[in-house]
Amino acid sequence: MKYISTRGLAPSLSFEEVVLTGLASDGGLYVPETLPQFSREEIASWVGLSYQELAFKIIAPFVAGEIADADLQTLIDKSYQSFRHPAIAPLVQTDHNEWVLELFQGPTLAFKDFALQFLGNLLDFILAKRQQKVVVMGATSGDTGSAAIEGCRHCDNIDIFILHPYQRVSEVQRRQMTTVLDDNVFNIALEGNFDDCQNMVKASFADQSFLPDGRQLVAVNSINFARIMVQIVYYFYAALALGGPARAISFSVPTGNFGDIFAGYLAKRMGLPIDQLIVATNQNDILHRCISANDHSKRPLVHSLSPSMDIMVSSNFERLLFDLHGRNGEAIRDLMESFKGGAMPLSAEVMAKLQAEFASYRLDDEETISVIAEVFDKTEYLLDPHTAIGVQAARKTRRDKTTPVVCLATAHPAKFPEAVTKACAVATPALPHHMADLFEREERYQVLANDMAGVHSYMAAQIKS
């Protein structure tokens, strides 16, 4: 399996090379040259497999023999040992033909654990084989950071630096990162928003001269295709549990950086019968505006009750645009150059393809709180604000009520107590027992200005030879 850049100028790479490279040298994102294809008969044969067994079936074609089957299964099994529920991704019914897929059963209570527990183990495996040390650098709008830190904290060959927007993540999200005191973990609170953090990470990959000799940056953001690959699995898992592939399933996905729903798009292209893919956004609604009205223009970022979706530049959308433009790297280079000016209008042909693949909906904070309250009142099931947006988007855009819809629950409600208490007037939702003392743990992080030279200087000073 070879991987190619969305901008068409970078060399094609193997799977292991892509894992270690992250962003392509031409500024693009890597995608598989071809996608694995599964027939309905093959998918049907997977009914009853455990999550770990199914993950092997989905992931193995992407590594294409670079990792022995036994080693790959060991990596998968190890990655999900710390999940609190034996089903790994349990389904909960919230209405007629409406289901919530609980993706928060991992160690940091967010869907990012699915990919980042695996990515941490995968990196350690590859680096040990190569006798190499690297620097992981990532940006987070809330959940990626803690999941990446948890996945990498025990890795012998990794120093990890995570940038989060200062005072723009929830207190639980911050403490999940900043109370990890391992010697190889460094948290940077950047005086800016998530897009500032993400832009700095991308720029750092383009110029790594600040690193000590022999070190390179590795991405844990969803620009690293290994993350997307692992997220494909739970679409198959949910569909098989609800009668797939004999019938189609729809999915509603709280969406910020477009990585999670892009995994669903790939699952559909690989052969999983999916009726609708629904993009659910908060008031930072650039994706909803693009899909519904061809308005992919930047607007000021708004701080919301669903901070993991406070994103205006959705990096993984480029991967979709690459497909919609016939995998034409030159067309993507032109689009990305246009977007630097603040807008990125799409052709009528591309818009038709986009709207054929995706529906979309947006909610503001007031509407989000209302949904949390309504669902809790009727079912006593507590949604976090991101998941609430996904549930309402499903209810507003479903075209066929006889088709089951799965709403991806991307985080545990205890991570966002402000929204939950506003909605339900209940006491602060309790953290799971393994995290009950979170607010008593010592914190360690560095507040830095939105200045790349200063961040690079700080990083270089922390990296041990």
Side-chain angles (χ1 to χ4, degrees):
M1 176 75 77
K2 286 291 186 182
Y3 292 78
I4 59 174
S5 169
T6 53
R7 302 194 188 180
L9 298 178
S12 61
L13 300 179
S14 68
F15 174 74
E16 286 193 3
E17 290 169 336
V18 160
V19 170
L20 294 177
T21 300
L23 199 65
S25 58
D26 59 5
L29 304 179
Y30 276 105
V31 292
E33 195 168 39
T34 58
L35 270 181
Q37 298 294 309
F38 304 121
S39 67
R40 292 202 178 191
E41 292 73 22
E42 186 174 8
I43 296 170
S45 73
W46 299 340
V47 171
L49 292 183
S50 70
Y51 192 92
Q52 295 89 327
E53 291 167 335
L54 179 63
F56 177 83
K57 297 285 189 184
I58 303 295
I59 294 170
F62 287 100
V63 308
E66 289 185 64
I67 300 173
D69 285 354
D71 289 331
L72 179 59
Q73 189 67 67
T74 297
L75 287 171
I76 291 168
D77 291 344
K78 184 178 179 182
S79 298
Y80 297 109
Q81 282 176 351
S82 58
F83 278 59
R84 295 171 297 121
H85 196 294
I88 311 299
L91 282 159
V92 175
Q93 190 165 9
T94 48
D95 205 339
H96 175 67
N97 259 353
E98 177 186 281
W99 305 78
V100 164
L101 182 65
E102 292 189 340
L103 299 179
F104 51 72
Q105 299 291 346
T108 73
L109 314 183
F111 80 100
K112 307 290 177 76
D113 286 324
F114 279 84
L116 287 165
Q117 286 295 301
F118 178 80
L119 183 57
N121 289 317
L122 175 66
L123 283 170
D124 221 23
F125 175 84
I126 293 172
L127 294 170
K129 184 168 64 173
R130 295 182 173 218
Q131 296 186 310
Q132 184 179 355
K133 291 190 174 184
V134 300
V135 175
V136 165
M137 185 180 185
T140 185
S141 57
D143 290 330
T144 294
S146 56
I149 287 168
E150 190 63 34
C152 295
R153 62 187 295 187
H154 301 301
C155 296
D156 296 329
N157 303 300
I158 294 173
D159 289 307
I160 179 166
F161 293 81
I162 296 295
L163 283 65
H164 71 266
Y166 182 49
Q167 296 182 334
R168 292 196 177 196
V169 298
S170 79
E171 187 174 6
V172 171
Q173 287 177 313
R174 187 192 76 242
R175 286 178 175 271
Q176 281 185 297
M177 296 184 284
T178 60
T179 58
V180 178
L181 305 180
D182 298 69
D183 289 343
N184 66 330
V185 173
F186 304 93
N187 281 286
I188 297 171
L190 195 73
E191 293 178 327
N193 58 39
F194 170 75
D195 287 339
D196 295 322
C197 297
Q198 183 166 252
N199 289 338
M200 189 170 294
V201 170
K202 287 183 176 181
S204 299
F205 272 84
D207 180 6
Q208 302 185 27
S209 59
F210 67 97
L211 293 175
D213 289 343
R215 296 292 185 100
Q216 71 175 74
L217 291 180
V218 170
V220 291
N221 285 68
S222 51
I223 60 174
N224 193 318
F225 184 78
R227 276 191 51 183
I228 306 292
M229 171 190 75
V230 176
Q231 291 171 286
I232 294 169
V233 177
Y234 46 70
Y235 286 90
F236 280 85
Y237 187 72
L240 286 165
L242 294 175
R247 63 174 178 174
I249 311 293
S250 293
F251 291 90
S252 181
V253 186
T255 304
N257 219 10
F258 206 78
D260 206 7
I261 197 161
F262 184 71
Y265 166 79
L266 292 185
K268 182 178 180 180
R269 289 194 55 217
M270 291 163 66
L272 185 66
I274 293 178
D275 181 28
Q276 280 184 284
L277 285 168
I278 301 163
V279 173
T281 76
N282 63 18
Q283 53 264 58
N284 296 298
D285 61 352
I286 186 169
L287 290 170
H288 169 62
R289 287 186 283 112
C290 179
I291 293 166
S292 62
N294 198 6
D295 175 13
H296 198 271
S297 61
K298 295 178 186 177
R299 293 183 182 175
L301 203 65
V302 179
H303 184 43
S304 78
L305 291 174
S306 46
S308 298
M309 296 155 67
D310 290 348
I311 295 172
M312 196 58 65
V313 180
S314 301
S315 291
N316 287 289
F317 196 53
E318 180 172 336
R319 285 183 161 121
L320 175 69
L321 291 172
F322 183 57
D323 267 13
L324 299 183
H325 285 82
R327 310 204 113 197
N328 182 335
E330 182 180 2
I332 299 305
R333 294 197 302 275
D334 290 344
L335 273 179
M336 294 303 118
E337 191 61 34
S338 171
F339 192 45
K340 286 181 183 177
M344 188 175 66
L346 303 178
S347 70
E349 179 185 2
V350 169
M351 277 300 300
K353 292 179 183 177
L354 177 62
Q355 291 175 340
E357 295 288 350
F358 297 93
S360 67
Y361 197 76
R362 62 94 78 183
L363 271 74
D364 61 24
D365 281 350
E366 185 177 343
E367 293 168 312
T368 301
I369 290 170
S370 176
V371 176
I372 296 172
E374 178 188 351
V375 172
F376 185 73
D377 182 56
K378 290 183 177 179
T379 67
E380 295 189 22
Y381 188 77
L382 203 52
L383 301 171
D384 95 288
H386 307 79
T387 308
I389 291 171
V391 167
Q392 187 71 346
R395 293 177 176 181
K396 292 294 187 180
T397 63
R398 287 174 72 181
R399 61 189 173 208
D400 183 359
K401 294 280 186 2
T402 66
T403 299
V405 63
V406 175
C407 307
L408 272 55
T410 54
H412 192 288
K415 297 189 78 165
F416 304 97
E418 181 185 357
V420 171
T421 53
K422 278 185 177 180
C424 304
V426 296
T428 301
L431 288 162
H433 60 82
H434 77 281
M435 212 177 285
D437 65 343
L438 180 66
F439 291 89
E440 300 162 21
R441 299 176 190 173
E442 178 188 349
E443 286 192 88
R444 186 180 69 204
Y445 62 100
Q446 187 73 33
V447 179
L448 295 178
N450 184 14
D451 170 66
M452 192 155 70
V455 170
H456 285 176
S457 177
Y458 170 78
M459 291 175 64
Q462 311 309 314
I463 299 169
K464 300 174 182 64
S465 59

